[in-house]
């Protein structure tokens, strides 16, 4: 696996990798890799001749009181995992490489960026879309692979790609969970044993809503009420939001139809976790 630290080097390596019309798949990450990330690499490998990944803890998507300084970093371990999965190229730039002094250009998807996590974390999605746009320009992938756990991020990036005419297919891959249902996340490492147990309430709340919806309930207010009620039973967990929205536009719905997104965010101790599910028969891609 070739590791590139500069934009110039990465661009040259990607152009060489695409020689002969080979399809290039891209998996952007912030490191601290787990099985969820590796599932994206495998999805890229299944449909692309060349797989490229990035590791970059993007400072612009963290708020001033958030966990940028303590965000888990395990670069050598991550490299070993990516190489084992057959990643050919890894882009691992410094912050100064991605954001040169005096940079003042941002990419913002208006409207969508203020919903779900964007409402709780002002400026977060502006940082996400700006760095992803930069990565797409540098790497020029044919397809980019993202996890459904960050459902709002997927919707926003898809809108950005459409609006700015990027020539990249955005592929969403299913959430990877622990055996007990907890969605895999790099931030799970912050949880102690008791908090880890309490965090399972996010998945339980989603499952209660799914069961009720499968039984025929379509009223969003009633379904949301059930989810919030389940979270409220866990005193160690503080709810940020529990919403049911249109999966593409992230707008709240009143009548919950097939394909609606049920999304939750909550603090377990000092750790903010997110989870979601799409109701009905889900076809990822």
């Amino acid at each position: 696996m070739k590791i590139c630290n500069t934009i110039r080097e990465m661009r040259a390596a990607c152009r060489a990798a695409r020689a002969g019309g080979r399809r290039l798949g891209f998996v952007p990450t912030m490191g601290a890799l787990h099985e969820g990330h590796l599932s994206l690499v495998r999805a890229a490998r299944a449909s692309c001749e060349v797989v490229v990944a990035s590791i970059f803890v993007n400072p612009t998507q963290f708020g001033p009181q958030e966990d940028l300084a303590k965000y888990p970093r395990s670069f050598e371990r991550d490299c070993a995992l990516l190489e084992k999965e057959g990643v050919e190229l890894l882009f691992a730039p410094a912050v100064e490489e991605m954001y040169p002094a005096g940079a003042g250009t941002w990419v913002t998807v208006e409207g969508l960026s203020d919903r779900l996590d964007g409402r709780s974390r002002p400026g977060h999605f502006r940082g996400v879309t700006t760095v992803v746009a930069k990565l797409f320009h540098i790497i020029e992938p044919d397809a980019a692979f993202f996890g459904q756990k960050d459902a709002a991020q997927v919707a926003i990036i898809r809108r950005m790609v459409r609006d700015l005419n990027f020539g990249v297919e955005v592929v969403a891959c299913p959430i990877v969970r622990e055996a007990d249902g907890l969605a895999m996340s790099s931030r799970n490492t912050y949880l102690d044993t008791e908090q880890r147990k309490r965090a399972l309430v996010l998945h339980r709340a989603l499952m209660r809503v799914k069961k009720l919806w499968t039984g025929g309930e379509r009223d969003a207010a009633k379904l949301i009420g059930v989810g919030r009620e389940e979270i409220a039973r866990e005193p160690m967990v503080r709810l940020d939001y529990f919403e049911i929205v249109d999966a593409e536009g992230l707008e709240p719905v009143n009548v919950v139809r097939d394909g609606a997104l049920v999304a939750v965010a909550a603090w377990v101790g000092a750790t903010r976790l997110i989870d979601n599910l799409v109701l009905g028969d889900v076809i990822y891609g």
Side-chain angles (χ1 to χ4, degrees), residues 76-111:
E76 291 184 4
R77 171 185 170 276
D78 293 343
C79 288
L81 289 171
L82 293 173
E83 190 160 22
K84 184 178 180 180
E85 293 293 337
V87 172
E88 284 90 346
L89 293 172
L90 174 64
F91 186 40
V95 172
E96 296 76 18
E97 182 72 10
M98 291 298 286
Y99 296 105
T105 301
W106 299 94
V107 178
T108 304
V109 178
E110 297 288 348

Side-chain angles (χ1 to χ4, degrees), residues 204-217:
R204 286 203 306 274
L206 293 173
M207 290 300 99
R208 279 196 66 191
V209 169
K210 181 179 181 179
K211 182 178 180 180
L212 197 59
W213 183 85
T214 302
E217 181 60 69

Side-chain angles (χ1 to χ4, degrees), residues 13 39 86 98 122 143 165 176 190 205 228 230 238 283:
S39 73
M98 291 298 286
N165 306 111
V176 177
Y190 298 158
R228 289 177 175 169
E230 186 68 29
R238 179 165 57 93
I283 299 175

Side-chain angles (χ1 to χ4, degrees), residues 47-60:
S47 65
C48 301
E49 287 81 19
V50 181
V51 179
V52 176
S54 65
I55 294 176
F56 179 64
V57 181
N58 176 37
T60 65

Side-chain angles (χ1 to χ4, degrees), residues 46-274:
S47 65
C48 301
E49 287 81 19
V50 181
V51 179
V52 176
S54 65
I55 294 176
F56 179 64
V57 181
N58 176 37
T60 65
Q61 68 190 67
F62 289 80
Q65 305 302 319
E66 293 185 342
D67 59 342
L68 174 61
K70 70 171 186 175
Y71 192 84
R73 292 164 170 84
S74 52
F75 186 73
E76 291 184 4
R77 171 185 170 276
D78 293 343
C79 288
L81 289 171
L82 293 173
E83 190 160 22
K84 184 178 180 180
E85 293 293 337
V87 172
E88 284 90 346
L89 293 172
L90 174 64
F91 186 40
V95 172
E96 296 76 18
E97 182 72 10
M98 291 298 286
Y99 296 105
T105 301
W106 299 94
V107 178
T108 304
V109 178
E110 297 288 348
L112 271 70
S113 295
D114 298 325
R115 296 168 190 161
L116 296 182
D117 290 274
R119 186 171 59 251
S120 302
R121 305 176 67 189
H124 168 68
F125 284 126
R126 182 181 79 158
V128 170
T129 45
T130 298
V131 78
V132 171
K134 291 166 76 72
L135 290 167
F136 283 176
H137 277 304
I138 293 163
I139 293 165
E140 297 184 329
D142 295 287
F145 297 79
F146 296 87
Q148 175 63 23
K149 185 173 74 70
D150 297 300
Q153 174 178 278
V154 171
I156 290 166
I157 289 172
R158 279 183 165 152
R159 182 68 61 84
M160 178 189 77
V161 164
R162 186 200 72 179
D163 290 354
L164 297 184
N165 306 111
F166 280 100
V168 56
E169 175 190 1
V170 176
V171 181
C173 299
I175 296 173
V176 177
R177 299 183 180 278
E178 303 286 357
D180 57 9
L182 184 68
M184 290 191 178
S185 169
S186 300
R187 288 186 169 94
N188 289 349
T189 59
Y190 298 158
L191 303 174
D192 63 28
T193 302
E194 185 64 21
Q195 290 169 339
R196 169 68 176 72
K197 179 180 177 182
R198 303 299 183 184
L200 295 175
V201 72
L202 275 71
H203 186 239
R204 286 203 306 274
L206 293 173
M207 290 300 99
R208 279 196 66 191
V209 169
K210 181 179 181 179
K211 182 178 180 180
L212 197 59
W213 183 85
T214 302
E217 181 60 69
R218 295 294 183 268
D219 183 87
K222 291 181 181 179
L223 293 168
I224 290 169
V226 166
R228 289 177 175 169
E229 178 185 78
E230 186 68 29
I231 299 288
R233 292 178 179 175
E234 188 52 78
M236 192 177 287
V237 176
R238 179 165 57 93
L239 183 66
D240 180 359
Y241 65 75
F242 196 103
E243 295 190 30
I244 302 178
V245 300
D246 167 66
E248 182 177 339
L250 306 181
E251 296 177 337
V253 299
N254 295 318
V255 179
V256 183
R257 297 187 171 87
D258 193 76
L261 174 71
V262 187
V264 59
W267 282 271
V268 183
T271 303
R272 186 177 182 278
L273 300 178
I274 61 173

